[in-house]
Every structure is written in structure tokens, then in C-alpha cells.
Amino acid sequence: MSDLRRRVVEDRGLIKEIELLIPGFHGYREREDLRVADSLLREQLASSLGSIRKGLERCREIVVRKKELDLIEETGILVRRCSAIEERIRHAEQGYTGISADFRIEQVELNQLYEWDLSLLKGVSWMRDTVANLKTSLDSGDSKAVHRGVKAVSKGLDDFDELFERRRVMIAGLEAF
């Protein structure tokens, strides 16, 4: 995936280029571009989690078909948690609060958020691979690997959720500096 910040800057139209030349508006334009990049990245994260959730739903279907009663509840919990995180990311606060807001996130903080998002994308990639391995284990009937896979996905969701919560706290200005 290309750097969304660069893509947003490259896609500036004539009006946005004019805004960059107006004194007092330059910083606003740059922060607004970062906000758009942040929004695009969060949408990408949510979509990726949606595909992971679908993978977990397929795992749950296999568990039901094989009548693995001890795993039905666990896989159902994973599906619900993944769905909840997906929706939280999709509807999260944006990275910039406006021209005259009480609390503003400046470019440095937005860039830090963007780096956190990179860690979140890496977490999504890891979970995608882990869910694929879980499905393979379910198909092969390797119950030890299945239980390890369920725990790994659960831990991955915990880590992902914690990282996203830290990001949310920073955006809300609740973090002690």
C-alpha cells in the first residue's frame, strides 16, 4: 500500500493549491490533508478486519459442521469481537478537530498516529495469516493446532484493540503528556 499522505498531497486540486498560498490557511490545508489520509487508512483497516471476520465466520461454520461443541462458543466470541473492533475503527474520531477547536492535533501528532496505524496494519496482516492457519488446522482436524490458533487470534485481537485504544486516547487528548 502506498503512503496515503503522499497520495492525498498528489491528488490536491487547484482550490487546495490556492489554499496553500493563502497566509493563515497553509497549516489548515496540511492538517486537513492528513485528516483525509487518516480517514482513508482507518477505512482500509476496517475493511481488512472485515475480511478477517469473514475468515473467522468460515472457521465457525467448519466448527459447527464438524460438531466441535467446545469450539462453537470460542469461535463465535472471536467473530463478535472482530466485528466490534471493525465497527469501532470505522466510526472512530477523525485525526483533526477543526480550525478553532479547543483541542487540536498538530502535524507531529498526526504523523505519530499514522505510524501507529502502520503497526495496526501489520497486526491485521498477522491476524489474516493466523486465521488462515486456523482454518487449515480445522480442515485437517489437528485439534491441538486449532486450540493454539484460537488462542493466537484472541491474543491478536486483544493486542490490536489495545493499540487502537491507545490511539483513540491520544486523539481525544486524554493521554497525560
Side-chain angles (χ1 to χ4, degrees), residues 120-137:
L120 291 169
L121 282 170
K122 288 178 180 176
V124 163
S125 177
W126 181 85
M127 282 193 288
R128 183 180 303 118
D129 293 344
T130 305
V131 170
N133 290 338
L134 175 61
K135 185 180 176 301
T136 300
S137 299

Side-chain angles (χ1 to χ4, degrees), residues 34-61:
L34 286 172
R35 187 188 64 77
V36 169
D38 178 61
S39 179
L40 289 171
L41 187 59
R42 282 185 298 103
E43 185 57 36
Q44 178 67 37
L45 278 172
S47 293
S48 295
L49 280 173
S51 70
I52 290 170
R53 177 185 38 78
K54 288 176 184 170
L56 288 170
E57 288 170 346
R58 283 191 290 278
C59 289
R60 183 176 56 185
E61 290 168 7

Side-chain angles (χ1 to χ4, degrees), residues 19-81:
E19 289 173 352
L20 286 170
L21 300 175
I22 298 172
F25 223 73
H26 183 86
Y28 166 76
R29 177 76 269 148
E30 287 181 348
R31 286 189 298 272
E32 186 66 17
D33 287 348
L34 286 172
R35 187 188 64 77
V36 169
D38 178 61
S39 179
L40 289 171
L41 187 59
R42 282 185 298 103
E43 185 57 36
Q44 178 67 37
L45 278 172
S47 293
S48 295
L49 280 173
S51 70
I52 290 170
R53 177 185 38 78
K54 288 176 184 170
L56 288 170
E57 288 170 346
R58 283 191 290 278
C59 289
R60 183 176 56 185
E61 290 168 7
I62 294 169
V63 165
V64 169
R65 192 177 59 241
K66 290 188 168 192
K67 299 178 182 165
E68 300 276 352
L69 299 178
D70 59 325
L71 292 172
I72 290 174
E73 185 177 346
E74 289 182 66
T75 54
I77 289 170
L78 292 177
V79 169
R80 286 191 303 274
R81 287 185 57 215

Side-chain angles (χ1 to χ4, degrees), residues 86-102:
E86 175 188 350
E87 290 306 312
R88 217 163 58 119
I89 288 173
R90 195 175 305 280
H91 302 291
E93 301 90 349
Q94 297 208 339
Y96 174 61
T97 56
I99 292 177
S100 60
D102 294 335

Side-chain angles (χ1 to χ4, degrees), residues 159-174:
D159 293 346
F160 188 90
D161 199 29
E162 181 183 324
L163 184 59
F164 189 76
E165 178 61 18
R166 287 181 26 216
R167 178 190 189 279
R168 190 196 67 77
V169 166
M170 184 177 171
I171 286 177
L174 302 174

